[in-house]
Amino acid sequence: MNIRASATGSDAGGSVHRISTQEVLGQDDNDRISMETPLLQDMRGDARIRWVYFMLGAATLLSWNAMINANSFFMSRLSGSPLRQSFSSYLSSVFTASNVVALGHAIVTSKQSSPSRRAFWSTALTSAIVSILFLTTFLHPSSTPFFYFIMISAFSLSGCASYLSNSVFAGAALFGAPYMQSMMAGQAAVAVAVSGVQVISSAISVWGTTPLAPVTSDIDSDGKAEEKSARIFFGISALYMIATLLAYKWLASLQVYTKTMGALEDDLKARVVSDEADERQALLPAALPSTVEDNQILRIFQTNLIYNFAVGYVFAVTLAVYPAITVTIKPTNPNTHPLLFSAVHFLVFSSGDLLGRYSCSFPKLIIWSARRILVLAVLRTLFIPVFLLCNVEHSFPVTPFINSDLVYMLLLCALGVSNGYVSTLCMLGAPSLEHNIRLRGRQEDVDVASTVAAFCLIVGLAVGGFASFGVRAVICNCNPFAS
């Protein structure tokens, strides 16, 4: 039995001393619980740094949540356009496709760029784009140019979010599990905040209206309510991104951040020096660092295949129905305003997602076994047929099997809770030296394992976004790309 003592995390606000067993005689299954005994570990870490990572986590998904929660505003601007009904699927697909391409490039080139610089510029550019979207709420362009403008904005915001998440995931993994959990909680919290604002603005906009008048559409006749709601979303989002930018600059100035992220920054400096030396010695054989990095990424992808597949599958199932399909589910109670119903549905999912992620802050609720996590991820497939049994907007009259709005909201909450819980388990387990013995104690693989898992998460989002077209085709029995 090979037992190695290690000390990590002392620079992250909490002293951690662990005795880990990398090889257990007679155990060939890497999924079995490793014989690791934490002697002393502060699971809370430095509260100040945790809050900054909470803000950064929120920033990585703020643009996505602002875009999907402004869905009613976008659709009000597309009134009369044949692209209106399939807009949500297009938005999800474009956003996630850009995510995959940009994050893939960010991972491959992660050793060639400063994570601090990437995080700063990604946050700054996101602030600028969201500010432009805020200004569009004062304009009234025709539907087709507006559609393409939103697609370009979604593509750009997604790219910025990819480079930001690449830096943030790597930093959180190096700081330790408490900071990773804070970052994941921040991603869910921003959805709750944006959804809460939407519910309040929607409630104000429909206040005093007769319950039967608006049931034919979830879009206000003149679009004023949606316009005001979106103006609030994008205005608050822009201010939040500026605040996050300032918080990150403060974090980057701390000595503990410099020490923790030093390995990544030093690697970049060493590469610059090496490149300069290669220019002076052009006749010598050139080194191939990119090949080594590519091999490391592929090796870690294969090593953590179960975690990576599970986190991707979680979000593939979620995006197959939410929000592209769930926004078409109407209230069965005629006294419920569809606009308010749609706003509440976003809040219910987001709150469930936050609850699922927050539950992982309790050690007793954490599952480290990759195979058990995979089982939970696969079981979530059942949500797809279940939501199709609700009051989905069909092109022909159909009596819903699940005709209770309360049951529908409970199912939506369960979708959110399971999404947040299982995805956080994957992101905690993949880069963990203490609980993932597949990494075999290689500290240099921690940040790569985290970013590869994040990439698989984004791939899952992209797959789910495109899958929503197929689910919609089943519902409408039509061409989902045109109607």
Side-chain angles (χ1 to χ4, degrees):
M1 182 177 294
N2 178 22
I3 300 179
R4 187 183 71 173
S6 63
T8 61
S10 58
D11 292 332
S15 179
V16 184
H17 297 277
R18 305 182 182 91
I19 297 178
S20 62
T21 300
Q22 294 184 5
E23 296 179 4
V24 181
L25 294 179
Q27 293 187 5
D28 295 327
D29 186 357
N30 284 337
D31 243 357
R32 298 187 183 183
I33 300 176
S34 59
M35 297 175 62
E36 300 169 340
T37 305
L39 299 180
L40 177 62
Q41 183 175 5
D42 183 1
M43 288 302 293
R44 294 172 298 176
D46 189 313
R48 300 172 304 166
I49 298 178
R50 287 196 64 176
W51 271 109
V52 175
Y53 270 103
F54 181 91
M55 294 180 68
L56 288 169
T60 60
L61 286 186
L62 183 142
S63 54
W64 164 247
N65 283 284
M67 294 292 276
I68 65 172
N69 278 275
N71 187 77
S72 296
F73 165 69
F74 296 143
M75 294 181 71
S76 69
R77 288 287 198 264
L78 295 173
S79 180
S81 171
L83 296 170
R84 179 181 173 276
Q85 292 299 325
S86 56
F87 173 80
S88 296
S89 292
Y90 274 111
L91 180 64
S92 299
S93 300
V94 169
F95 197 99
T96 53
S98 173
N99 240 174
V100 171
V101 175
L103 188 57
H105 179 265
I107 292 174
V108 172
T109 60
S110 60
K111 301 296 184 181
Q112 305 169 21
S113 177
S114 167
S116 301
R117 192 176 305 147
R118 273 188 171 178
F120 176 83
W121 284 110
S122 297
T123 306
L125 288 173
T126 300
S127 302
I129 297 172
V130 173
S131 297
I132 294 173
L133 286 170
F134 167 75
L135 296 177
T136 62
T137 61
F138 297 93
L139 306 175
H140 296 81
S142 58
S143 58
T144 301
F146 182 78
F147 173 83
Y148 286 109
F149 169 76
I150 295 301
M151 293 300 111
I152 293 173
S153 299
F155 187 89
S156 303
L157 283 172
S158 178
C160 292
S162 297
Y163 287 104
L164 177 61
S165 64
N166 172 255
S167 300
V168 172
F169 271 107
L174 290 175
F175 269 99
Y179 305 92
M180 178 68 76
Q181 190 278 328
S182 293
M183 190 210 65
M184 294 290 289
Q187 290 184 326
V190 68
V192 175
V194 173
S195 299
V197 171
Q198 186 190 29
V199 169
I200 294 173
S201 61
S202 298
I204 294 174
S205 68
V206 302
W207 186 269
T209 60
T210 57
L212 295 178
V215 297
T216 58
S217 176
D218 59 344
I219 305 299
D220 204 37
S221 57
D222 57 3
K224 293 297 182 181
E226 292 74 24
E227 182 180 276
K228 293 178 181 177
S229 179
R231 191 171 298 158
I232 295 173
F233 295 157
F234 294 130
I236 293 178
S237 298
L239 293 175
Y240 181 84
M241 291 303 301
I242 294 173
T244 302
L245 184 63
L246 296 176
Y248 182 75
K249 285 184 66 67
W250 170 82
L251 174 63
S253 67
L254 297 180
Q255 184 178 9
V256 63
Y257 182 87
T258 304
K259 289 182 178 180
T260 304
M261 300 294 289
L264 298 181
E265 299 287 354
D266 291 343
D267 182 78
L268 173 64
K269 294 177 181 178
R271 184 182 302 280
V272 172
V273 173
S274 176
D275 290 342
E276 292 177 350
D278 289 342
E279 290 177 1
R280 293 192 298 267
Q281 302 178 16
L283 297 180
L284 295 179
L288 299 174
S290 60
T291 302
V292 175
E293 292 166 8
D294 292 344
N295 290 338
Q296 182 190 25
I297 293 173
L298 180 59
R299 172 175 57 81
I300 294 176
F301 173 78
Q302 295 173 338
T303 297
N304 280 343
L305 183 60
I306 298 180
Y307 284 117
N308 294 334
F309 177 82
V311 73
Y313 195 79
V314 165
F315 284 93
V317 170
T318 299
L319 263 290
V321 293
Y322 176 89
I325 305 304
T326 57
V327 293
T328 69
I329 296 178
K330 305 301 178 184
T332 57
N333 185 348
N335 295 321
T336 302
H337 196 296
L339 177 61
L340 185 59
F341 185 80
S342 177
V344 171
H345 121 280
F346 281 113
L347 180 61
V348 169
F349 175 86
S350 302
S351 300
D353 189 39
L354 176 60
L355 178 61
R357 298 181 190 225
Y358 179 72
S359 64
C360 291
S361 63
F362 301 97
K364 292 184 178 180
L365 297 180
I366 298 179
I367 299 173
W368 296 106
S369 169
R371 284 186 169 82
R372 292 181 182 179
I373 294 173
L374 178 61
V375 171
L376 293 177
V378 172
L379 286 175
R380 297 184 74 254
T381 309
L382 296 174
F383 279 115
I384 297 177
V386 167
F387 278 106
L388 294 180
L389 296 176
C390 296
N391 192 26
V392 180
E393 185 180 8
H394 291 274
S395 58
F396 46 88
V398 176
T399 302
F401 182 81
I402 299 176
N403 59 359
S404 169
D405 293 338
L406 177 60
V407 173
Y408 164 67
M409 289 297 176
L410 290 176
L411 289 171
L412 197 63
C413 183
L415 179 72
V417 171
S418 61
N419 182 84
Y421 179 65
V422 181
S423 64
T424 303
L425 291 178
C426 295
M427 297 308 300
L428 290 178
S432 175
L433 291 177
E434 297 80 17
H435 302 281
N436 182 7
I437 59 176
R438 295 170 175 81
L439 294 182
R440 303 188 185 281
R442 288 188 286 262
Q443 178 70 32
E444 66 275 12
D445 288 346
V446 169
D447 62 307
V448 180
S450 178
T451 52
V452 168
F455 176 74
C456 292
L457 184 157
I458 299 302
V459 171
L461 288 172
V463 172
F466 285 104
S468 67
F469 282 106
V471 177
R472 176 165 176 75
V474 173
I475 295 173
C476 68
N477 193 26
C478 62
N479 179 2
F481 297 99
S483 61

